[in-house]
Structure formats: C-alpha cells, structure tokens
Amino acid sequence: MEEKSTSFEVLLERAQAYTETSIRLFKFKATEKIAGLVSGLASQLVIATILFLLFLNLNIGAALLIGGLFNKTWMGFMLLAGFYLLAGVIVYLFRNRWIKTPVSNAVITHLLDEDQFSDK
C-alpha cells in the first residue's frame, strides 16, 4: 500500500512541477510578446514624431509660399487648413478600413506569432 501512495505522490509532484513550469513558460512568452509590442510602438512613436516635425516645417513653408503668391500670408495658412480639413474628413470616414482594422490585425498577428519562440 505504501508503494501506491509513493507512486501517487511522485505523480502529484510531477504534475505540480509541470504546472509550475507551464505557468512560467506562459509568463515568459507573454512578457516577450508585450516587450516586442511595446518596443515596436515606441520606435514607431519616435519615427512619427520626427515625421510630424518634418511635415510641420514643410507646411509652414508651403503656407508662406502660397501666401506670398497671393500677397496675403494668411491666405496660405487658410488654404492649407482647408486642405487638412478635407483630408481629416476623408480619413474619419474611412477610419475603420484604413486604421482600426489594419492596426488590430497587426497586433493580433504579433501576439499570435509562434515562430518568434521556435528554436532556429
């Protein structure tokens, strides 16, 4: 009878060790996925900031150029504002197709990518 309880205890210890190892593996995989996602977002944020500053300066220059052509500086800024208003309305109308769906798909694909953990 003692041997049966010993086998059961060994089995229970192995099951407990397996469960603990599985939980640790899940934590490591989740940490890796989140770290990859956050680092990707951070690098894209830096690039977006640099591009924003570039386009800001280009737009100021374009507004001054257009204003100079009409001899009214304010008109250049108003024309560009109207252009961006039109662009904003178009992006708003297509926001789900152009922004929400692709971003959601990219995040899901990144989180479900199992090749990231395979031994190469």
Side-chain angles (χ1 to χ4, degrees):
M1 191 74 166
E2 188 174 312
E3 200 165 307
K4 284 186 181 180
S5 65
T6 305
S7 298
F8 179 73
E9 288 173 358
V10 169
L11 181 63
L12 186 60
E13 287 175 10
R14 286 184 181 173
Q16 184 179 11
Y18 176 78
T19 303
E20 289 173 1
T21 303
S22 295
I23 290 171
R24 289 181 65 205
L25 180 62
F26 173 76
K27 286 180 182 179
F28 288 140
K29 283 185 176 184
T31 301
E32 179 70 25
K33 295 283 186 176
I34 292 170
L37 189 63
V38 169
S39 66
L41 288 174
S43 66
Q44 289 179 359
L45 181 63
V46 169
I47 292 169
T49 301
I50 292 169
L51 289 175
F52 171 76
L53 293 173
L54 170 74
F55 286 118
L56 178 67
N57 285 309
L58 286 175
N59 281 303
I60 291 172
L64 291 173
L65 177 67
I66 293 169
L69 293 175
F70 290 108
N71 291 325
K72 295 179 181 170
T73 305
W74 61 269
M75 189 176 283
F77 286 95
M78 289 299 133
L79 286 173
L80 277 179
F83 169 76
Y84 284 115
L85 176 65
L86 178 65
V89 168
I90 291 170
V91 169
Y92 178 78
L93 292 175
F94 294 100
R95 69 189 179 276
N96 288 333
R97 186 183 315 165
W98 292 349
I99 299 170
K100 184 180 179 186
T101 302
V103 170
S104 296
N105 289 342
V107 169
I108 290 169
T109 300
H110 180 77
L111 290 176
L112 296 179
D113 183 18
E114 288 297 325
D115 291 338
Q116 183 176 354
F117 298 107
S118 63
D119 294 331
K120 295 178 183 175

